[in-house]
Amino acid sequence: MTDPIFKDIDAPHFAAHESTDEIARSAEAIVNPASGLANDYLNLFNEIVMLIEQLPVMPELIDDILKWRPVTYQSYFAKSILPGRTSALEAYENLDLAFRRDFETVVADLDRRAVGSVVAIRRQYKKQVNITSPMMAEICERAGAALREVLLTASDFVNNGHRAERESEQERADRLIYGNLRRVG
């Protein structure tokens, strides 16, 4: 294959019936054109959230949680076997510097929260407290909610090419009240 888009494709990972065009489309689809970012990176964080949230009912997940470590966007795709990983890295290098810095700030927040969650779980686990205890369930519930909050922001960056503004509760109440008043008046 001489097309540069195929330089990072490991052919044995694809079924024999997949055409070169299908592989090329898969490689191109990894990067969201709205942002220049690949959503696959967020799977790293989605995975730890799911592990944490399931821990109280699936104690066998503890080892996977305790092994979790943050990985940079670049490292994630450098080690990836996904078609388009090179395209994802090239697009990342070409991002607007301010946008990339904003995205990296959100990722740093995700990293801090995820590592903090793992540390809290490890501390509770070392206390020899049953993993299915109410205290562990509370830790996992709070950790999952905190991570999901930041994951929404990260998803906005990837899917929309910007950080979507979140409406505060007061702004929503004002919009609903004043919107209803305009219809009545």
Side-chain angles (χ1 to χ4, degrees):
M1 293 182 225
T2 58
D3 191 334
I5 198 162
F6 298 112
K7 65 185 172 189
D8 60 353
I9 294 176
D10 187 7
H13 286 90
F14 296 98
H17 68 277
E18 284 191 280
S19 73
T20 303
D21 290 340
E22 289 170 330
I23 295 170
R25 280 191 297 278
S26 294
E28 290 170 0
I30 194 170
V31 175
N32 186 319
S35 65
L37 295 167
N39 193 48
D40 294 281
Y41 176 66
L42 298 183
N43 290 340
L44 173 72
F45 299 102
N46 284 316
E47 179 181 320
I48 190 62
V49 170
M50 290 183 342
L51 290 170
I52 288 170
E53 290 177 339
Q54 293 299 310
L55 180 63
V57 294
M58 297 179 71
E60 64 272 15
L61 298 176
I62 190 69
D63 291 333
D64 291 329
I65 292 170
L66 298 179
K67 285 188 245 177
W68 190 89
R69 299 290 181 270
V71 176
T72 66
Y73 188 94
Q74 296 93 328
S75 294
Y76 180 84
F77 285 106
K79 295 176 183 173
S80 175
I81 60 167
L82 291 170
R85 66 184 183 261
T86 301
S87 299
L89 287 168
E90 289 170 359
Y92 193 76
E93 289 302 315
N94 292 315
L95 288 175
D96 172 76
L97 292 179
F99 177 76
R100 189 168 71 197
R101 186 175 47 252
D102 289 346
F103 177 70
E104 288 172 351
T105 299
V106 172
V107 169
D109 192 16
L110 275 168
D111 287 343
R112 275 190 301 277
R113 290 180 190 220
V115 168
S117 298
V118 170
V119 167
I121 289 167
R122 180 180 289 118
R123 275 191 204 129
Q124 190 65 21
Y125 181 63
K126 283 186 175 184
K127 287 182 181 180
Q128 302 282 328
V129 176
N130 184 348
I131 290 175
T132 59
S133 73
M135 177 59 81
M136 185 65 86
E138 176 69 20
I139 290 169
C140 291
E141 183 179 328
R142 286 184 183 190
L147 284 164
R148 284 190 184 283
E149 179 184 322
V150 183
L151 264 170
L152 282 174
T153 302
S155 292
D156 287 339
F157 270 95
V158 172
N159 296 323
N160 303 314
H162 58 83
R163 182 180 195 159
E165 296 298 320
R166 298 270 183 236
E167 185 176 50
S168 72
E169 289 180 32
Q170 184 62 53
E171 290 168 331
R172 183 171 188 260
D174 291 346
R175 180 178 52 79
L176 292 171
I177 290 170
Y178 295 124
N180 288 337
L181 288 176
R182 278 185 277 213
R183 278 186 240 137
V184 173

PDB file of all heavy atoms in Angstrom, residues 115-144:
ATOM      1  N   VAL A 115      -6.945   9.564  39.066  1.00  0.00           N
ATOM      2  CA  VAL A 115      -5.892   9.125  39.985  1.00  0.00           C
ATOM      3  C   VAL A 115      -6.360   9.288  41.428  1.00  0.00           C
ATOM      4  O   VAL A 115      -6.156   8.397  42.259  1.00  0.00           O
ATOM      5  CB  VAL A 115      -4.573   9.893  39.725  1.00  0.00           C
ATOM      6  CG1 VAL A 115      -3.561   9.663  40.834  1.00  0.00           C
ATOM      7  CG2 VAL A 115      -3.988   9.493  38.374  1.00  0.00           C
ATOM      8  N   GLY A 116      -7.005  10.395  41.727  1.00  0.00           N
ATOM      9  CA  GLY A 116      -7.532  10.604  43.071  1.00  0.00           C
ATOM     10  C   GLY A 116      -8.548   9.546  43.452  1.00  0.00           C
ATOM     11  O   GLY A 116      -8.576   9.067  44.596  1.00  0.00           O
ATOM     12  N   SER A 117      -9.374   9.152  42.502  1.00  0.00           N
ATOM     13  CA  SER A 117     -10.370   8.101  42.750  1.00  0.00           C
ATOM     14  C   SER A 117      -9.687   6.768  43.033  1.00  0.00           C
ATOM     15  O   SER A 117     -10.075   6.050  43.963  1.00  0.00           O
ATOM     16  CB  SER A 117     -11.292   7.962  41.540  1.00  0.00           C
ATOM     17  OG  SER A 117     -11.999   9.161  41.301  1.00  0.00           O
ATOM     18  N   VAL A 118      -8.683   6.453  42.245  1.00  0.00           N
ATOM     19  CA  VAL A 118      -7.950   5.196  42.443  1.00  0.00           C
ATOM     20  C   VAL A 118      -7.265   5.205  43.811  1.00  0.00           C
ATOM     21  O   VAL A 118      -7.284   4.197  44.531  1.00  0.00           O
ATOM     22  CB  VAL A 118      -6.942   4.954  41.295  1.00  0.00           C
ATOM     23  CG1 VAL A 118      -6.014   3.788  41.610  1.00  0.00           C
ATOM     24  CG2 VAL A 118      -7.681   4.719  39.972  1.00  0.00           C
ATOM     25  N   VAL A 119      -6.698   6.332  44.187  1.00  0.00           N
ATOM     26  CA  VAL A 119      -6.037   6.443  45.495  1.00  0.00           C
ATOM     27  C   VAL A 119      -7.054   6.243  46.621  1.00  0.00           C
ATOM     28  O   VAL A 119      -6.791   5.510  47.589  1.00  0.00           O
ATOM     29  CB  VAL A 119      -5.307   7.803  45.634  1.00  0.00           C
ATOM     30  CG1 VAL A 119      -4.886   8.075  47.068  1.00  0.00           C
ATOM     31  CG2 VAL A 119      -4.102   7.849  44.694  1.00  0.00           C
ATOM     32  N   ALA A 120      -8.213   6.868  46.514  1.00  0.00           N
ATOM     33  CA  ALA A 120      -9.247   6.722  47.550  1.00  0.00           C
ATOM     34  C   ALA A 120      -9.720   5.274  47.648  1.00  0.00           C
ATOM     35  O   ALA A 120      -9.906   4.739  48.750  1.00  0.00           O
ATOM     36  CB  ALA A 120     -10.417   7.649  47.252  1.00  0.00           C
ATOM     37  N   ILE A 121      -9.884   4.637  46.509  1.00  0.00           N
ATOM     38  CA  ILE A 121     -10.309   3.230  46.493  1.00  0.00           C
ATOM     39  C   ILE A 121      -9.215   2.351  47.104  1.00  0.00           C
ATOM     40  O   ILE A 121      -9.496   1.449  47.892  1.00  0.00           O
ATOM     41  CB  ILE A 121     -10.685   2.789  45.063  1.00  0.00           C
ATOM     42  CG1 ILE A 121     -11.992   3.474  44.658  1.00  0.00           C
ATOM     43  CG2 ILE A 121     -10.786   1.277  44.951  1.00  0.00           C
ATOM     44  CD1 ILE A 121     -12.316   3.390  43.178  1.00  0.00           C
ATOM     45  N   ARG A 122      -7.962   2.623  46.738  1.00  0.00           N
ATOM     46  CA  ARG A 122      -6.837   1.857  47.286  1.00  0.00           C
ATOM     47  C   ARG A 122      -6.781   1.999  48.805  1.00  0.00           C
ATOM     48  O   ARG A 122      -6.607   1.017  49.520  1.00  0.00           O
ATOM     49  CB  ARG A 122      -5.515   2.306  46.667  1.00  0.00           C
ATOM     50  CG  ARG A 122      -4.307   1.528  47.212  1.00  0.00           C
ATOM     51  CD  ARG A 122      -2.988   1.957  46.600  1.00  0.00           C
ATOM     52  NE  ARG A 122      -2.926   1.506  45.220  1.00  0.00           N
ATOM     53  CZ  ARG A 122      -2.838   2.313  44.158  1.00  0.00           C
ATOM     54  NH1 ARG A 122      -2.781   3.622  44.319  1.00  0.00           N
ATOM     55  NH2 ARG A 122      -2.785   1.823  42.941  1.00  0.00           N
ATOM     56  N   ARG A 123      -6.929   3.217  49.313  1.00  0.00           N
ATOM     57  CA  ARG A 123      -6.907   3.439  50.767  1.00  0.00           C
ATOM     58  C   ARG A 123      -7.998   2.638  51.462  1.00  0.00           C
ATOM     59  O   ARG A 123      -7.763   2.001  52.479  1.00  0.00           O
ATOM     60  CB  ARG A 123      -7.113   4.925  51.079  1.00  0.00           C
ATOM     61  CG  ARG A 123      -5.875   5.725  51.026  1.00  0.00           C
ATOM     62  CD  ARG A 123      -6.109   7.105  51.613  1.00  0.00           C
ATOM     63  NE  ARG A 123      -5.127   8.004  51.053  1.00  0.00           N
ATOM     64  CZ  ARG A 123      -5.409   9.159  50.485  1.00  0.00           C
ATOM     65  NH1 ARG A 123      -6.644   9.588  50.399  1.00  0.00           N
ATOM     66  NH2 ARG A 123      -4.449   9.900  50.007  1.00  0.00           N
ATOM     67  N   GLN A 124      -9.193   2.701  50.903  1.00  0.00           N
ATOM     68  CA  GLN A 124     -10.310   1.976  51.505  1.00  0.00           C
ATOM     69  C   GLN A 124     -10.071   0.467  51.442  1.00  0.00           C
ATOM     70  O   GLN A 124     -10.335  -0.251  52.401  1.00  0.00           O
ATOM     71  CB  GLN A 124     -11.614   2.354  50.790  1.00  0.00           C
ATOM     72  CG  GLN A 124     -12.861   1.861  51.451  1.00  0.00           C
ATOM     73  CD  GLN A 124     -13.085   2.494  52.823  1.00  0.00           C
ATOM     74  OE1 GLN A 124     -12.565   3.544  53.151  1.00  0.00           O
ATOM     75  NE2 GLN A 124     -13.841   1.811  53.653  1.00  0.00           N
ATOM     76  N   TYR A 125      -9.526   0.018  50.329  1.00  0.00           N
ATOM     77  CA  TYR A 125      -9.237  -1.406  50.150  1.00  0.00           C
ATOM     78  C   TYR A 125      -8.178  -1.876  51.147  1.00  0.00           C
ATOM     79  O   TYR A 125      -8.294  -2.957  51.721  1.00  0.00           O
ATOM     80  CB  TYR A 125      -8.788  -1.634  48.708  1.00  0.00           C
ATOM     81  CG  TYR A 125      -8.469  -3.058  48.352  1.00  0.00           C
ATOM     82  CD1 TYR A 125      -9.450  -4.046  48.396  1.00  0.00           C
ATOM     83  CD2 TYR A 125      -7.191  -3.423  47.946  1.00  0.00           C
ATOM     84  CE1 TYR A 125      -9.157  -5.357  48.054  1.00  0.00           C
ATOM     85  CE2 TYR A 125      -6.893  -4.725  47.594  1.00  0.00           C
ATOM     86  CZ  TYR A 125      -7.876  -5.686  47.648  1.00  0.00           C
ATOM     87  OH  TYR A 125      -7.591  -6.982  47.309  1.00  0.00           O
ATOM     88  N   LYS A 126      -7.154  -1.048  51.370  1.00  0.00           N
ATOM     89  CA  LYS A 126      -6.076  -1.420  52.300  1.00  0.00           C
ATOM     90  C   LYS A 126      -6.555  -1.466  53.740  1.00  0.00           C
ATOM     91  O   LYS A 126      -5.930  -2.106  54.581  1.00  0.00           O
ATOM     92  CB  LYS A 126      -4.903  -0.457  52.168  1.00  0.00           C
ATOM     93  CG  LYS A 126      -4.055  -0.729  50.950  1.00  0.00           C
ATOM     94  CD  LYS A 126      -2.841   0.158  50.942  1.00  0.00           C
ATOM     95  CE  LYS A 126      -1.943  -0.214  49.781  1.00  0.00           C
ATOM     96  NZ  LYS A 126      -0.708   0.567  49.791  1.00  0.00           N
ATOM     97  N   LYS A 127      -7.636  -0.788  54.031  1.00  0.00           N
ATOM     98  CA  LYS A 127      -8.184  -0.826  55.389  1.00  0.00           C
ATOM     99  C   LYS A 127      -8.834  -2.175  55.685  1.00  0.00           C
ATOM    100  O   LYS A 127      -9.386  -2.368  56.755  1.00  0.00           O
ATOM    101  CB  LYS A 127      -9.241   0.272  55.575  1.00  0.00           C
ATOM    102  CG  LYS A 127      -8.689   1.648  55.682  1.00  0.00           C
ATOM    103  CD  LYS A 127      -9.839   2.616  55.906  1.00  0.00           C
ATOM    104  CE  LYS A 127      -9.352   4.033  56.009  1.00  0.00           C
ATOM    105  NZ  LYS A 127     -10.484   4.955  56.229  1.00  0.00           N
ATOM    106  N   GLN A 128      -8.759  -3.075  54.711  1.00  0.00           N
ATOM    107  CA  GLN A 128      -9.347  -4.410  54.844  1.00  0.00           C
ATOM    108  C   GLN A 128     -10.866  -4.346  54.962  1.00  0.00           C
ATOM    109  O   GLN A 128     -11.489  -5.233  55.523  1.00  0.00           O
ATOM    110  CB  GLN A 128      -8.761  -5.147  56.058  1.00  0.00           C
ATOM    111  CG  GLN A 128      -7.266  -5.313  56.019  1.00  0.00           C
ATOM    112  CD  GLN A 128      -6.814  -6.420  55.095  1.00  0.00           C
ATOM    113  OE1 GLN A 128      -7.504  -7.404  54.927  1.00  0.00           O
ATOM    114  NE2 GLN A 128      -5.658  -6.256  54.485  1.00  0.00           N
ATOM    115  N   VAL A 129     -11.431  -3.283  54.462  1.00  0.00           N
ATOM    116  CA  VAL A 129     -12.883  -3.142  54.460  1.00  0.00           C
ATOM    117  C   VAL A 129     -13.413  -3.884  53.240  1.00  0.00           C
ATOM    118  O   VAL A 129     -12.826  -3.827  52.166  1.00  0.00           O
ATOM    119  CB  VAL A 129     -13.292  -1.654  54.415  1.00  0.00           C
ATOM    120  CG1 VAL A 129     -14.787  -1.495  54.307  1.00  0.00           C
ATOM    121  CG2 VAL A 129     -12.755  -0.934  55.637  1.00  0.00           C
ATOM    122  N   ASN A 130     -14.497  -4.541  53.411  1.00  0.00           N
ATOM    123  CA  ASN A 130     -15.134  -5.282  52.326  1.00  0.00           C
ATOM    124  C   ASN A 130     -15.378  -4.346  51.139  1.00  0.00           C
ATOM    125  O   ASN A 130     -15.931  -3.262  51.302  1.00  0.00           O
ATOM    126  CB  ASN A 130     -16.447  -5.869  52.850  1.00  0.00           C
ATOM    127  CG  ASN A 130     -17.145  -6.743  51.842  1.00  0.00           C
ATOM    128  OD1 ASN A 130     -16.804  -6.772  50.666  1.00  0.00           O
ATOM    129  ND2 ASN A 130     -18.138  -7.470  52.310  1.00  0.00           N
ATOM    130  N   ILE A 131     -14.985  -4.764  49.961  1.00  0.00           N
ATOM    131  CA  ILE A 131     -15.161  -3.948  48.758  1.00  0.00           C
ATOM    132  C   ILE A 131     -16.633  -3.623  48.524  1.00  0.00           C
ATOM    133  O   ILE A 131     -16.962  -2.582  47.978  1.00  0.00           O
ATOM    134  CB  ILE A 131     -14.550  -4.646  47.521  1.00  0.00           C
ATOM    135  CG1 ILE A 131     -13.033  -4.647  47.643  1.00  0.00           C
ATOM    136  CG2 ILE A 131     -14.968  -3.961  46.232  1.00  0.00           C
ATOM    137  CD1 ILE A 131     -12.314  -5.394  46.558  1.00  0.00           C
ATOM    138  N   THR A 132     -17.500  -4.491  48.956  1.00  0.00           N
ATOM    139  CA  THR A 132     -18.928  -4.257  48.745  1.00  0.00           C
ATOM    140  C   THR A 132     -19.561  -3.475  49.899  1.00  0.00           C
ATOM    141  O   THR A 132     -20.777  -3.406  50.004  1.00  0.00           O
ATOM    142  CB  THR A 132     -19.669  -5.603  48.554  1.00  0.00           C
ATOM    143  OG1 THR A 132     -19.472  -6.405  49.711  1.00  0.00           O
ATOM    144  CG2 THR A 132     -19.173  -6.333  47.318  1.00  0.00           C
ATOM    145  N   SER A 133     -18.737  -2.847  50.745  1.00  0.00           N
ATOM    146  CA  SER A 133     -19.248  -2.081  51.885  1.00  0.00           C
ATOM    147  C   SER A 133     -19.933  -0.801  51.413  1.00  0.00           C
ATOM    148  O   SER A 133     -19.648  -0.295  50.329  1.00  0.00           O
ATOM    149  CB  SER A 133     -18.098  -1.719  52.832  1.00  0.00           C
ATOM    150  OG  SER A 133     -17.291  -0.709  52.254  1.00  0.00           O
ATOM    151  N   PRO A 134     -20.809  -0.251  52.242  1.00  0.00           N
ATOM    152  CA  PRO A 134     -21.457   1.025  51.904  1.00  0.00           C
ATOM    153  C   PRO A 134     -20.445   2.162  51.700  1.00  0.00           C
ATOM    154  O   PRO A 134     -20.643   3.014  50.843  1.00  0.00           O
ATOM    155  CB  PRO A 134     -22.360   1.305  53.107  1.00  0.00           C
ATOM    156  CG  PRO A 134     -22.625  -0.038  53.705  1.00  0.00           C
ATOM    157  CD  PRO A 134     -21.376  -0.830  53.468  1.00  0.00           C
ATOM    158  N   MET A 135     -19.355   2.158  52.462  1.00  0.00           N
ATOM    159  CA  MET A 135     -18.340   3.202  52.317  1.00  0.00           C
ATOM    160  C   MET A 135     -17.680   3.124  50.938  1.00  0.00           C
ATOM    161  O   MET A 135     -17.504   4.143  50.269  1.00  0.00           O
ATOM    162  CB  MET A 135     -17.272   3.079  53.417  1.00  0.00           C
ATOM    163  CG  MET A 135     -16.147   4.093  53.277  1.00  0.00           C
ATOM    164  SD  MET A 135     -16.690   5.792  53.317  1.00  0.00           S
ATOM    165  CE  MET A 135     -16.852   6.023  55.058  1.00  0.00           C
ATOM    166  N   MET A 136     -17.332   1.922  50.497  1.00  0.00           N
ATOM    167  CA  MET A 136     -16.730   1.765  49.176  1.00  0.00           C
ATOM    168  C   MET A 136     -17.739   2.153  48.093  1.00  0.00           C
ATOM    169  O   MET A 136     -17.378   2.803  47.108  1.00  0.00           O
ATOM    170  CB  MET A 136     -16.239   0.331  48.960  1.00  0.00           C
ATOM    171  CG  MET A 136     -15.492   0.141  47.643  1.00  0.00           C
ATOM    172  SD  MET A 136     -13.938   1.056  47.512  1.00  0.00           S
ATOM    173  CE  MET A 136     -12.824  -0.095  48.300  1.00  0.00           C
ATOM    174  N   ALA A 137     -18.984   1.780  48.273  1.00  0.00           N
ATOM    175  CA  ALA A 137     -20.013   2.146  47.302  1.00  0.00           C
ATOM    176  C   ALA A 137     -20.141   3.667  47.203  1.00  0.00           C
ATOM    177  O   ALA A 137     -20.273   4.214  46.095  1.00  0.00           O
ATOM    178  CB  ALA A 137     -21.352   1.509  47.687  1.00  0.00           C
ATOM    179  N   GLU A 138     -20.062   4.350  48.322  1.00  0.00           N
ATOM    180  CA  GLU A 138     -20.141   5.821  48.340  1.00  0.00           C
ATOM    181  C   GLU A 138     -18.940   6.430  47.616  1.00  0.00           C
ATOM    182  O   GLU A 138     -19.085   7.357  46.824  1.00  0.00           O
ATOM    183  CB  GLU A 138     -20.205   6.322  49.787  1.00  0.00           C
ATOM    184  CG  GLU A 138     -20.195   7.825  49.922  1.00  0.00           C
ATOM    185  CD  GLU A 138     -21.457   8.500  49.413  1.00  0.00           C
ATOM    186  OE1 GLU A 138     -22.506   7.827  49.300  1.00  0.00           O
ATOM    187  OE2 GLU A 138     -21.390   9.707  49.112  1.00  0.00           O
ATOM    188  N   ILE A 139     -17.756   5.918  47.883  1.00  0.00           N
ATOM    189  CA  ILE A 139     -16.544   6.406  47.216  1.00  0.00           C
ATOM    190  C   ILE A 139     -16.681   6.214  45.704  1.00  0.00           C
ATOM    191  O   ILE A 139     -16.396   7.127  44.925  1.00  0.00           O
ATOM    192  CB  ILE A 139     -15.288   5.682  47.752  1.00  0.00           C
ATOM    193  CG1 ILE A 139     -15.005   6.110  49.187  1.00  0.00           C
ATOM    194  CG2 ILE A 139     -14.072   5.940  46.861  1.00  0.00           C
ATOM    195  CD1 ILE A 139     -13.957   5.254  49.896  1.00  0.00           C
ATOM    196  N   CYS A 140     -17.110   5.050  45.300  1.00  0.00           N
ATOM    197  CA  CYS A 140     -17.237   4.747  43.872  1.00  0.00           C
ATOM    198  C   CYS A 140     -18.316   5.604  43.206  1.00  0.00           C
ATOM    199  O   CYS A 140     -18.131   6.087  42.085  1.00  0.00           O
ATOM    200  CB  CYS A 140     -17.538   3.265  43.676  1.00  0.00           C
ATOM    201  SG  CYS A 140     -16.137   2.200  44.112  1.00  0.00           S
ATOM    202  N   GLU A 141     -19.405   5.815  43.894  1.00  0.00           N
ATOM    203  CA  GLU A 141     -20.487   6.636  43.335  1.00  0.00           C
ATOM    204  C   GLU A 141     -20.016   8.073  43.122  1.00  0.00           C
ATOM    205  O   GLU A 141     -20.238   8.659  42.062  1.00  0.00           O
ATOM    206  CB  GLU A 141     -21.694   6.607  44.265  1.00  0.00           C
ATOM    207  CG  GLU A 141     -22.884   7.377  43.726  1.00  0.00           C
ATOM    208  CD  GLU A 141     -24.083   7.323  44.664  1.00  0.00           C
ATOM    209  OE1 GLU A 141     -24.269   6.304  45.357  1.00  0.00           O
ATOM    210  OE2 GLU A 141     -24.825   8.316  44.702  1.00  0.00           O
ATOM    211  N   ARG A 142     -19.373   8.636  44.134  1.00  0.00           N
ATOM    212  CA  ARG A 142     -18.871  10.015  44.019  1.00  0.00           C
ATOM    213  C   ARG A 142     -17.793  10.135  42.945  1.00  0.00           C
ATOM    214  O   ARG A 142     -17.763  11.093  42.180  1.00  0.00           O
ATOM    215  CB  ARG A 142     -18.323  10.490  45.355  1.00  0.00           C
ATOM    216  CG  ARG A 142     -19.394  10.794  46.349  1.00  0.00           C
ATOM    217  CD  ARG A 142     -18.802  11.350  47.608  1.00  0.00           C
ATOM    218  NE  ARG A 142     -19.842  11.579  48.584  1.00  0.00           N
ATOM    219  CZ  ARG A 142     -19.654  12.227  49.697  1.00  0.00           C
ATOM    220  NH1 ARG A 142     -18.458  12.699  50.005  1.00  0.00           N
ATOM    221  NH2 ARG A 142     -20.648  12.401  50.545  1.00  0.00           N
ATOM    222  N   ALA A 143     -16.897   9.168  42.909  1.00  0.00           N
ATOM    223  CA  ALA A 143     -15.817   9.193  41.914  1.00  0.00           C
ATOM    224  C   ALA A 143     -16.392   9.116  40.501  1.00  0.00           C
ATOM    225  O   ALA A 143     -15.975   9.862  39.611  1.00  0.00           O
ATOM    226  CB  ALA A 143     -14.850   8.042  42.160  1.00  0.00           C
ATOM    227  N   GLY A 144     -17.334   8.203  40.297  1.00  0.00           N
ATOM    228  CA  GLY A 144     -17.950   8.070  38.981  1.00  0.00           C
ATOM    229  C   GLY A 144     -18.632   9.347  38.538  1.00  0.00           C
ATOM    230  O   GLY A 144     -18.478   9.793  37.395  1.00  0.00           O
TER     231      GLY A 144
END
